[in-house]
Amino acid sequence: MEKKTVVVGMSGGVDSSVAAYLLKRQGYNVIGLFMLNWEEDDPDGACTSESDFEDVRRVCSLLDIPYYSVNFAKQYYDRVFKYFLDEYAAGRTPNPDVLCNREIKFGPFREYALSMGADYIATGHYCGVEHAADGRHYLLKAADAGKDQTYFLNQVTQKQLERVIFPLSRLKKEEVRAIALENGLATAKKKDSTGICFIGERNFRRFLSQYLPAKPGKILTLEGEEVGEHEGLMYYTLGQRRGVGIGGKKGEAGRWFVVRKDLENNVLYVSHGDESPLYTTSCEVSGINWIGFEPPAHFDCTAKFRYRQGEQGVTVTLTDGGAHVGFKEPQRAVTAGQYAVFYDEERCLGGGVIL
């Protein structure tokens, strides 16, 4: 039988390196493809694309597979970064990694890989995919619950999942590193990247101020007491404790944290000690992408409202613009701009943006 060709999205990290190794061992014709998604003009910038591509070169050379680089910086700027800026300007807290998966990794990258003759594309994501006999494609949780990345893939469409392989779906992170070490992969001990490339290890406020003008304003309690001045609403998010810039109250336990942002009046509302204003019993969600699921008008499932959170019981009621999501238990700091992602046991049903 003729070998099937798989183009692997190589990031220069251990996960995609092991994905390529496993596919080569399984007998596929493997090609490595590195994506350049951010071009850094600042010589002090934290984007590590050059060293990452060097690691791709070393891994692919060891595996004896061809490797290439493709520049998607313009697409990334137009489809992801502009959205990122618009959301912060509107007072919300966006998650650009979710958009990057739909708009870049499973968009232009997928099309480019298919133009190279790929039968399949593969990435180092911790998740699984089921290609059902009825033509549907289901997104599944990874075996490693602590690393599961279905939250970040909630906007990927059926069409985009059609020819996808996730080689790490049944592996734990420690097993992936062990495979890399055993086989001499250069990325075996490489630290996992955190955050998004265009910010990296830099000061977030300094970076954002290069693109959006900061508008300082008042910090008020919910009772209307002025307790400080904020540096710009875009620098704060719901539930934030650190960096609010208010001293503690003498003789009183507890910390200040953000409870609301009033964009119209440029006011940041905070609370001291009492977290009850952060808890809500429902949220509205728009732009929902369902993955292999035809939702009834009203149903129960579980959901996550941020990546590092356990699943919560919810009741979903479809609306004209999306859905009303009722919580079985009150939830803390459900944040506009983040994603509500829905689950039915091992399947990720999809998700949408929290309004």
Side-chain angles (χ1 to χ4, degrees):
M1 230 172 82
E2 186 182 345
K3 278 189 178 182
K4 295 290 186 180
T5 296
V6 183
V7 172
V8 183
M10 302 289 288
S11 66
V14 65
D15 298 327
S16 58
S17 300
V18 170
Y21 163 78
L22 292 173
L23 291 165
K24 174 80 183 287
R25 193 180 69 177
Q26 289 166 20
Y28 288 102
N29 175 36
V30 180
I31 299 171
L33 185 58
F34 176 78
M35 289 173 282
L36 179 65
N37 292 335
W38 185 257
E39 292 181 322
E40 185 61 72
D41 294 327
D42 179 3
D44 299 321
C47 201
T48 58
S49 57
E50 287 186 17
S51 60
D52 287 339
F53 185 62
E54 176 61 21
D55 285 333
V56 169
R57 185 193 66 78
R58 293 162 69 191
V59 168
C60 291
S61 296
L62 179 70
L63 297 179
D64 192 26
I65 63 175
Y67 58 95
Y68 305 92
S69 175
V70 60
N71 189 323
F72 291 135
K74 184 181 186 307
Q75 291 94 324
Y76 190 93
Y77 192 94
D78 291 343
R79 300 185 185 188
V80 180
F81 189 63
K82 283 183 178 177
Y83 172 85
F84 169 86
L85 294 179
D86 289 345
E87 286 291 281
Y88 270 109
R92 293 184 286 269
T93 304
N95 193 320
D97 295 332
V98 172
L99 209 58
C100 180
N101 280 319
R102 186 186 74 193
E103 297 295 334
I104 305 297
K105 293 177 183 174
F106 294 88
F109 173 84
R110 176 182 179 275
E111 297 308 313
Y112 193 90
L114 294 177
S115 75
M116 295 173 68
D119 296 295
Y120 304 101
I121 68 163
T123 68
H125 282 102
Y126 284 86
C127 58
V129 62
E130 176 190 345
H131 302 295
D134 63 1
R136 296 189 189 187
H137 310 283
Y138 298 103
L139 184 63
L140 308 177
K141 292 180 194 172
D144 190 336
K147 286 290 181 180
D148 177 70
Q149 291 176 303
T150 52
Y151 181 90
F152 297 111
L153 291 166
N154 77 82
Q155 290 292 295
V156 174
T157 67
Q158 283 280 285
K159 183 68 175 175
Q160 290 175 322
L161 285 173
E162 190 175 23
R163 298 195 198 180
V164 172
I165 301 173
F166 294 119
L168 308 186
S169 63
R170 308 319 302 163
L171 293 174
K172 300 289 184 73
K173 181 70 179 198
E174 55 267 29
E175 294 175 304
V176 169
R177 287 211 180 271
I179 290 169
L181 277 168
E182 288 166 10
N183 293 279
L185 301 184
T187 53
K189 296 183 179 180
K190 188 174 181 178
K191 182 182 174 184
D192 288 343
S193 61
T194 56
I196 41 186
C197 177
F198 55 77
I199 296 177
E201 302 297 325
R202 282 171 294 189
N203 180 283
F204 174 76
R205 294 186 181 185
R206 192 177 304 132
F207 173 82
L208 201 55
S209 67
Q210 296 173 27
Y211 298 90
L212 295 174
K215 292 174 58 182
K218 293 179 180 180
I219 301 178
L220 303 180
T221 67
L222 292 173
E223 295 72 38
E225 178 189 355
E226 186 172 343
V227 291
E229 184 178 87
H230 66 77
E231 297 179 20
L233 291 180
M234 61 188 176
Y235 299 139
Y236 305 87
T237 190
L238 207 61
Q240 178 180 329
R241 289 191 178 96
R242 294 182 181 177
V244 179
I246 309 171
K249 289 185 175 181
K250 288 185 178 178
E252 289 188 30
R255 300 169 69 176
W256 292 102
F257 46 86
V258 175
V259 293
R260 188 156 65 88
K261 296 195 286 187
D262 180 351
L263 195 68
E264 185 178 347
N265 298 300
N266 196 30
V267 173
L268 185 73
Y269 285 95
V270 296
S271 179
H272 185 270
D274 177 20
E275 296 198 8
S276 61
L278 282 174
Y279 283 83
T280 51
T281 57
S282 66
C283 70
E284 303 300 320
V285 178
S286 69
I288 301 178
N289 172 60
W290 299 111
I291 305 173
F293 176 63
E294 295 177 5
H298 187 80
F299 64 97
D300 290 344
C301 65
T302 59
K304 291 169 69 169
F305 307 103
R306 56 185 176 274
Y307 174 52
R308 294 293 182 192
Q309 178 191 28
E311 289 170 42
Q312 310 295 316
V314 298
T315 297
V316 180
T317 303
L318 300 188
T319 62
D320 287 343
H324 172 84
V325 183
F327 312 149
K328 299 293 175 69
E329 300 287 341
Q331 296 298 306
R332 183 185 185 278
V334 176
T335 304
Q338 293 289 296
Y339 286 83
V341 181
F342 306 108
Y343 293 89
D344 179 11
E345 297 183 351
E346 293 306 303
R347 284 182 179 171
C348 175
L349 303 178
V353 179
I354 298 165
L355 295 178

